[in-house]
Tab-separated table of all heavy atoms in Angstrom:
chain	number	residue	atom	x	y	z
A	72	LEU	N	-10.622	-1.938	-7.017
A	72	LEU	CA	-11.296	-1.664	-8.276
A	72	LEU	C	-12.785	-1.401	-8.076
A	72	LEU	O	-13.416	-0.712	-8.876
A	72	LEU	CB	-11.117	-2.851	-9.240
A	72	LEU	CG	-9.687	-3.121	-9.717
A	72	LEU	CD1	-9.650	-4.397	-10.544
A	72	LEU	CD2	-9.154	-1.954	-10.516
A	73	SER	N	-13.372	-1.973	-7.023
A	73	SER	CA	-14.821	-1.853	-6.816
A	73	SER	C	-15.220	-1.077	-5.575
A	73	SER	O	-16.324	-0.541	-5.519
A	73	SER	CB	-15.452	-3.255	-6.720
A	73	SER	OG	-15.437	-3.900	-7.966
A	76	VAL	N	-16.484	2.404	-5.963
A	76	VAL	CA	-17.857	2.452	-6.462
A	76	VAL	C	-18.842	2.212	-5.323
A	76	VAL	O	-19.872	2.886	-5.222
A	76	VAL	CB	-18.059	1.400	-7.580
A	76	VAL	CG1	-19.505	1.390	-8.056
A	76	VAL	CG2	-17.128	1.688	-8.748
A	204	ALA	N	-23.212	1.980	-11.215
A	204	ALA	CA	-23.288	0.564	-11.576
A	204	ALA	C	-22.153	-0.227	-10.944
A	204	ALA	O	-21.009	0.239	-10.865
A	204	ALA	CB	-23.244	0.430	-13.090
A	205	LEU	N	-22.471	-1.432	-10.491
A	205	LEU	CA	-21.472	-2.362	-9.994
A	205	LEU	C	-21.128	-3.370	-11.089
A	205	LEU	O	-21.884	-3.559	-12.038
A	205	LEU	CB	-21.987	-3.087	-8.749
A	205	LEU	CG	-22.234	-2.237	-7.502
A	205	LEU	CD1	-22.866	-3.082	-6.413
A	205	LEU	CD2	-20.929	-1.633	-7.009
A	206	ASP	N	-19.989	-4.017	-10.953
A	206	ASP	CA	-19.552	-5.035	-11.917
A	206	ASP	C	-19.032	-6.244	-11.146
A	206	ASP	O	-17.824	-6.484	-11.083
A	206	ASP	CB	-18.472	-4.450	-12.826
A	206	ASP	CG	-18.030	-5.424	-13.915
A	206	ASP	OD1	-18.660	-6.494	-14.045
A	206	ASP	OD2	-17.050	-5.111	-14.625
A	207	PRO	N	-19.930	-7.034	-10.528
A	207	PRO	CA	-19.478	-8.137	-9.675
A	207	PRO	C	-18.693	-9.204	-10.432
A	207	PRO	O	-17.729	-9.761	-9.897
A	207	PRO	CB	-20.780	-8.701	-9.099
A	207	PRO	CG	-21.870	-8.186	-9.979
A	207	PRO	CD	-21.394	-6.877	-10.509
A	208	LEU	N	-19.086	-9.502	-11.689
A	208	LEU	CA	-18.360	-10.526	-12.439
A	208	LEU	C	-16.946	-10.052	-12.771
A	208	LEU	O	-15.970	-10.808	-12.628
A	208	LEU	CB	-19.113	-10.882	-13.720
A	208	LEU	CG	-18.444	-11.946	-14.603
A	208	LEU	CD1	-18.207	-13.230	-13.815
A	208	LEU	CD2	-19.278	-12.222	-15.857
A	209	GLY	N	-16.827	-8.800	-13.224
A	209	GLY	CA	-15.502	-8.265	-13.506
A	209	GLY	C	-14.623	-8.257	-12.268
A	209	GLY	O	-13.435	-8.616	-12.328
A	210	GLN	N	-15.183	-7.866	-11.118
A	210	GLN	CA	-14.414	-7.871	-9.878
A	210	GLN	C	-13.996	-9.280	-9.498
A	210	GLN	O	-12.850	-9.520	-9.085
A	210	GLN	CB	-15.228	-7.251	-8.756
A	210	GLN	CG	-14.561	-7.264	-7.399
A	210	GLN	CD	-13.305	-6.434	-7.350
A	210	GLN	OE1	-13.336	-5.234	-7.204
A	210	GLN	NE2	-12.156	-7.087	-7.496
A	211	ALA	N	-14.904	-10.258	-9.648
A	211	ALA	CA	-14.576	-11.642	-9.313
A	211	ALA	C	-13.442	-12.173	-10.196
A	211	ALA	O	-12.528	-12.855	-9.717
A	211	ALA	CB	-15.820	-12.519	-9.463
A	213	ALA	N	-11.107	-10.407	-11.646
A	213	ALA	CA	-9.864	-9.740	-11.231
A	213	ALA	C	-9.285	-10.393	-9.980
A	213	ALA	O	-8.074	-10.642	-9.897
A	213	ALA	CB	-10.129	-8.255	-10.985
A	251	PHE	N	-11.169	-11.500	-17.885
A	251	PHE	CA	-11.446	-10.176	-17.344
A	251	PHE	C	-11.381	-9.115	-18.442
A	251	PHE	O	-12.265	-8.259	-18.557
A	251	PHE	CB	-10.448	-9.852	-16.224
A	251	PHE	CG	-10.498	-8.428	-15.729
A	251	PHE	CD1	-11.494	-8.019	-14.865
A	251	PHE	CD2	-9.546	-7.505	-16.147
A	251	PHE	CE1	-11.555	-6.706	-14.417
A	251	PHE	CE2	-9.590	-6.195	-15.703
A	251	PHE	CZ	-10.596	-5.796	-14.837
A	255	GLU	N	-14.553	-6.908	-19.737
A	255	GLU	CA	-14.518	-5.456	-19.582
A	255	GLU	C	-14.604	-4.731	-20.923
A	255	GLU	O	-15.161	-3.639	-21.016
A	255	GLU	CB	-13.236	-5.039	-18.852
A	255	GLU	CG	-13.190	-5.451	-17.396
A	255	GLU	CD	-14.294	-4.810	-16.578
A	255	GLU	OE1	-14.368	-3.567	-16.551
A	255	GLU	OE2	-15.091	-5.540	-15.981
A	258	ARG	N	-18.218	-4.034	-21.918
A	258	ARG	CA	-19.088	-3.277	-21.014
A	258	ARG	C	-19.068	-1.794	-21.348
A	258	ARG	O	-18.012	-1.228	-21.652
A	258	ARG	CB	-18.645	-3.467	-19.554
A	258	ARG	CG	-19.016	-4.828	-18.987
A	258	ARG	CD	-18.624	-4.916	-17.523
A	258	ARG	NE	-19.253	-3.883	-16.710
A	258	ARG	CZ	-20.495	-3.948	-16.249
A	258	ARG	NH1	-21.245	-4.988	-16.537
A	258	ARG	NH2	-20.992	-2.963	-15.498
A	260	LYS	N	-19.506	0.628	-19.240
A	260	LYS	CA	-18.789	1.302	-18.160
A	260	LYS	C	-17.898	0.281	-17.445
A	260	LYS	O	-18.280	-0.283	-16.414
A	260	LYS	CB	-19.760	1.947	-17.169
A	260	LYS	CG	-20.536	3.117	-17.764
A	260	LYS	CD	-21.398	3.789	-16.712
A	260	LYS	CE	-22.132	4.996	-17.293
A	260	LYS	NZ	-22.969	5.686	-16.269
A	261	PRO	N	-16.704	0.023	-17.998
A	261	PRO	CA	-15.819	-0.976	-17.390
A	261	PRO	C	-15.240	-0.502	-16.069
A	261	PRO	O	-15.264	0.688	-15.750
A	261	PRO	CB	-14.717	-1.149	-18.442
A	261	PRO	CG	-14.708	0.143	-19.188
A	261	PRO	CD	-16.136	0.625	-19.199
A	262	LEU	N	-14.704	-1.461	-15.294
A	262	LEU	CA	-14.073	-1.114	-14.021
A	262	LEU	C	-12.921	-0.135	-14.231
A	262	LEU	O	-12.706	0.771	-13.428
A	262	LEU	CB	-13.541	-2.389	-13.337
A	262	LEU	CG	-14.540	-3.247	-12.563
A	262	LEU	CD1	-13.874	-4.530	-12.109
A	262	LEU	CD2	-15.112	-2.501	-11.384
A	263	ILE	N	-12.150	-0.334	-15.298
A	263	ILE	CA	-11.038	0.555	-15.620
A	263	ILE	C	-11.389	1.302	-16.903
A	263	ILE	O	-11.396	0.713	-17.984
A	263	ILE	CB	-9.729	-0.234	-15.814
A	263	ILE	CG1	-9.437	-1.101	-14.580
A	263	ILE	CG2	-8.565	0.721	-16.068
A	263	ILE	CD1	-8.237	-2.006	-14.738
A	264	PRO	N	-11.738	2.581	-16.827
A	264	PRO	CA	-12.142	3.327	-18.026
A	264	PRO	C	-11.046	3.318	-19.099
A	264	PRO	O	-9.857	3.423	-18.795
A	264	PRO	CB	-12.370	4.750	-17.497
A	264	PRO	CG	-12.649	4.571	-16.045
A	264	PRO	CD	-11.811	3.402	-15.618
A	399	ILE	N	-11.112	7.569	-9.955
A	399	ILE	CA	-10.788	6.254	-10.499
A	399	ILE	C	-9.283	6.125	-10.708
A	399	ILE	O	-8.678	5.091	-10.413
A	399	ILE	CB	-11.547	6.029	-11.819
A	399	ILE	CG1	-13.048	5.982	-11.558
A	399	ILE	CG2	-11.087	4.758	-12.505
A	399	ILE	CD1	-13.894	5.990	-12.803
A	403	LEU	N	-6.780	3.451	-9.029
A	403	LEU	CA	-5.917	2.575	-9.819
A	403	LEU	C	-4.464	2.674	-9.383
A	403	LEU	O	-3.732	1.677	-9.373
A	403	LEU	CB	-6.035	2.922	-11.298
A	403	LEU	CG	-7.222	2.325	-12.046
A	403	LEU	CD1	-7.269	2.856	-13.467
A	403	LEU	CD2	-7.130	0.807	-12.067
Side-chain angles (χ1 to χ4, degrees):
L72 294 174
S73 290
V76 177
L205 295 174
D206 184 7
L208 180 57
Q210 177 64 81
F251 171 78
E255 291 298 302
R258 285 183 58 81
K260 292 185 178 181
L262 279 173
I263 305 175
I399 295 171
L403 278 175

